[in-house]
Structure formats: C-alpha cells, structure tokens
Amino acid sequence: MRGFSGAIEDRLAIRERIESYNDAVFRHDADDWAECWAEDAQWNVAGYEASGRTAIRDLWVKLMANYAQVSMFVNHGALAVDGDRADSRCYIIEMQKKQDGGEMLLSGRYDDRLKRDADGAWRFVSRSYTVLHVKG
C-alpha cells in the first residue's frame, strides 16, 4: 500500500478514528478507546494479542495500568479505502511515563484494517503495532 486513495469523506472519517484512538489514550479513557474497535477485531501489540472488543479493552486496561501517562502523536503514512473496507499505515511517537516514574520515548508503526459498521462508523478490524525505536 502506498499513498492515499478512496473517497475523501471516508479518508477523513478514518483519520478522525485514528485521532480519537490517540485522544482516548491521552485521557486514559477505556470506554472511548474501546469504541474504536469492531466487535470481532484483532489487536497485536508488544507481543500481546487479543480478539474481540471486550478482550481488547481488558488487555488495554491491564497494559495501561503500568503508566501514569501515555502521549501519542500520529503521522499518517498511507490509507486506501475500498468500499466499506480500508487499509491504513501510520507512524506514532509515544512519550510514556510509568507508574514508577520511569520514562520512555518510542516510535512505532501501526498497520490497520478497518471496516464501516452498519451504523456507518469506521472501526478497527485489526491493528498491529511494531516498535521502531525505543529511548529510555
């Protein structure tokens, strides 16, 4: 996948979904974060995998308990919309402050698949995170 293709309205809605995801991370809001996922979604992050929105939310809550704050900033690399399905690649800078006071700076890449649900909202069907660089 390279570049950006598909209806601009869909591309905007997907970008807003990704940005809503990041906003929920900043706010530590598990319910808003979970709304970004389809009911039958798959998540792969840091060696962990979860299937289904409820299991994904539970894993996120468990992982986020280790952090006092996580700040995520996104840069979109590619986005291809085909009807009610889409593939996306974006890059993330994360600043993490752990509960024990330790801090880390990471960069990573998300490879995503999304679908438009019956209610018209775009949600993640799969999201896979690859760490590209860690400092701290």
Side-chain angles (χ1 to χ4, degrees), residues 35-106:
E35 279 299 308
C36 295
W37 297 89
E39 288 292 338
D40 59 348
Q42 304 280 324
W43 187 34
N44 180 325
V45 62
Y48 296 93
E49 292 185 20
S51 298
R53 183 186 289 168
T54 300
I56 289 169
R57 182 191 185 282
D58 291 347
L59 176 58
W60 186 79
V61 168
K62 177 184 170 185
L63 294 175
M64 289 296 284
N66 297 311
Y67 300 96
Q69 179 64 46
V70 176
S71 304
M72 293 178 68
F73 302 92
V74 64
N75 182 56
H76 300 276
L79 175 56
V81 178
D82 184 11
D84 290 336
R85 301 268 179 199
D87 293 309
S88 172
R89 180 176 56 250
C90 60
Y91 299 94
I92 303 289
I93 297 291
E94 284 186 67
M95 296 183 298
Q96 301 175 343
K97 183 174 183 179
K98 295 184 177 185
Q99 294 291 3
D100 67 7
E103 295 185 356
M104 290 176 48
L105 179 64
L106 297 103

Side-chain angles (χ1 to χ4, degrees), residues 20 25 27 29 47-48 58-59 67 71 77 116 119 121 130 135-136:
S20 294
V25 170
R27 295 181 294 108
D29 189 318
Y48 296 93
D58 291 347
L59 176 58
Y67 300 96
S71 304
R116 187 188 342 252
D119 65 0
T130 303
K135 181 179 180 182

